[in-house]
Amino acid sequence: MSAASHTAPSTGLHRPTLSFWQIWNMSFGFLGIQFGFALQGGFMSRIFQTLGAEKDALPLLWIAAPLTGLLVQPIIGYLSDRTWHPRFGRRRPYFLIGAILSSFALLFMPYSSALWMAAGFLWILDASINISMEPFRALVADKLPAQQRSYGFVLQTLIIGIGTWVASTLPWLVAQFGVSNEAAPGVVPASVKLAFAIGAVVFLGSILVTVLTTSEYAPSQHAGEAVPSDKKHFVAEIIHDILHMPSQMLRIGAVQFFSWLAFFSMWSMATPALTEAVFKAPAPNPANFAMNVPEQAAQFNAANGAFQNAADLVGVYMGYYGLASMVIALLLSFYAARRPLNCRAVHFASLIAGGIGFLSMAFFSNPQWLVVSFCLVGVSWASILSMPYALLAGSVEPKKMGGYMGIFNMFIVIPQIVAATALGPTIRDVFGNQSIYAMVISGGSLMVGALLLAFVREAKAQTEGQS
């Protein structure tokens, strides 16, 4: 057990208190990152199903995303700790590189003509988003004094909520403006293509706002936190840091495991689960129709149109979890700006609320009640994106903040790998291929995560008063 598990490391550099707009600008790039994640999470399964994927194969098609994160995040964190450019700083070069690659993937993803192509673009997209995202968490710890970190992470969550809400409704919104939501078998509708193109523009533009408006501290200003020297090979050092991670990180990581297992299950299975169980409009399989017979072609087109419309509405309802997370983050930001948060208590209550939200989806036959379900899910989402990082930040050496944030994110990607490999067979073999049980698994998983918070202690830096 490292010493960092007992006391918060010395911060070295005296970090001045930042204004709302300074923190807003340094976090604004998360708007684009969340556009990418929301479009990926809300519509990749729809794209896969449009290209002919069976619903029990969907989680496995997603596996490239968490596998990429498992490799990319610790490496990017390690490298960003050791990067310094006089103009672009320490973290910002990674923001920009990731944004350019992500925008490319978003533009071309909906034009995939085969499952392997869509899965390949998902791999590129997720790797690129991780390049941008991981250093953002470290930037908050780099720039903010300890008493402002909860506020900084909550403000990031507010921006993430805005991005989730808007991006999740984009295909439905552009369809309302007359963009076609119908397409031939195996072709992604124009409404989805336009939504992904808008996401690409927003991603790059918002990252540029952060890059151009935010400065970083030079190594000479860090008083003992300068760019670490490379005495070890980076793989050996990453392995060393994993084996000697602070005990606080391990405890919070267990909570994160069940939290992200829940959300990966939602992202990969919400579209088949809700279109099937709530909207009664499952995705038709073209192989079951003789497309050269006019009557059967018409039946397929009607069923496919119903599925595409239902999938649009699933995206709209999923947007409510982004809207709810935005409201919760706004309330928490007002509170955290004036007094310290009890991060553990907030996180416990939020995970319980999200668990109830997921479980309730199995009992609703009226789609309108999904607003309530996803709002409860949004409460947990707001907390998952902020409270674990606030609990962790005071237990990590500042000079290794990027590397440890990357290692911590392994507790995000490992549960996704578990879900990607086990969720499909579980739904098929245990629950009779009824996809709605994926939402039940999500609810139970959040409840388990809430109970594991009993082993997490409140970080000292978060219980001190605001200065």
Side-chain angles (χ1 to χ4, degrees), residues 77-93:
Y78 176 93
L79 293 176
S80 72
D81 281 341
R82 287 154 177 77
T83 296
W84 178 254
H85 187 279
R87 182 176 179 183
F88 294 107
R90 190 181 196 182
R91 315 293 182 187
R92 288 176 293 158

Side-chain angles (χ1 to χ4, degrees), residues 101-284:
L101 295 174
S102 296
S103 297
F104 167 83
L106 285 168
L107 278 173
F108 291 100
M109 172 83 75
Y111 293 91
S112 301
S113 58
L115 280 172
W116 67 265
M117 190 180 298
F121 274 120
L122 176 60
W123 175 78
I124 296 170
L125 176 61
D126 204 77
S128 305
I129 292 176
N130 277 305
I131 291 171
S132 285
M133 183 188 70
E134 195 285 327
F136 259 103
R137 299 297 189 189
L139 183 65
V140 168
D142 288 345
K143 292 280 290 183
L144 295 180
Q147 67 271 17
Q148 274 198 311
R149 285 176 182 165
S150 292
Y151 182 44
F153 288 124
V154 165
L155 200 57
Q156 279 189 353
T157 302
L158 173 61
I159 293 171
I160 289 170
I162 296 170
T164 301
W165 177 41
V166 176
S168 295
T169 61
L170 268 179
W172 174 85
L173 185 62
V174 299
Q176 302 311 300
F177 282 94
V179 180
S180 177
N181 197 37
E182 297 180 0
V187 177
V188 176
S191 59
V192 177
K193 292 176 179 176
L194 180 57
F196 273 65
I198 293 171
V201 173
V202 172
F203 200 127
L204 186 57
S206 63
I207 290 288
L208 284 173
V209 170
T210 292
V211 169
L212 297 176
T213 63
T214 302
S215 62
E216 297 186 70
Y217 296 121
S220 59
Q221 296 177 276
H222 277 245
E225 296 176 32
V227 175
S229 61
D230 291 320
K231 295 179 180 179
K232 301 178 182 177
H233 188 273
F234 82 93
V235 174
E237 187 158 348
I238 290 172
I239 292 173
H240 175 272
D241 289 341
I242 291 172
L243 295 176
H244 296 85
M245 71 176 68
S247 60
Q248 174 83 335
M249 179 184 290
L250 191 60
R251 295 186 187 111
I252 302 172
V255 179
Q256 288 287 81
F257 179 94
F258 287 98
S259 302
W260 285 87
L261 180 69
F263 275 85
F264 182 86
S265 299
M266 179 190 75
W267 293 325
S268 61
M269 295 300 291
T271 295
L274 300 178
T275 55
E276 178 183 290
V278 180
F279 291 93
K280 312 301 181 185

Side-chain angles (χ1 to χ4, degrees), residues 354-394:
I356 294 171
F358 277 123
L359 292 172
S360 68
M361 294 180 192
F363 301 99
F364 290 152
S365 57
N366 186 336
Q368 293 182 351
W369 283 103
L370 291 175
V371 174
V372 177
S373 298
F374 277 112
C375 283
L376 289 171
V377 169
V379 173
S380 65
W381 183 237
S383 187
I384 287 167
L385 293 174
S386 54
M387 294 302 103
Y389 298 95
L391 286 165
L392 177 67

Side-chain angles (χ1 to χ4, degrees), residues 17-64:
T17 300
L18 300 187
S19 70
F20 168 84
W21 287 113
Q22 287 175 308
I23 302 174
W24 177 269
N25 286 336
M26 68 184 277
S27 301
F28 192 74
F30 251 115
L31 179 70
I33 290 173
Q34 196 54 37
F35 258 71
F37 270 130
L39 289 169
Q40 172 184 299
F43 303 103
M44 273 312 304
S45 287
R46 175 181 179 176
I47 291 173
F48 286 145
Q49 286 190 284
T50 298
L51 294 174
E54 296 291 342
K55 60 185 180 182
D56 61 338
L58 292 175
L60 198 57
L61 286 169
W62 276 75
I63 197 169

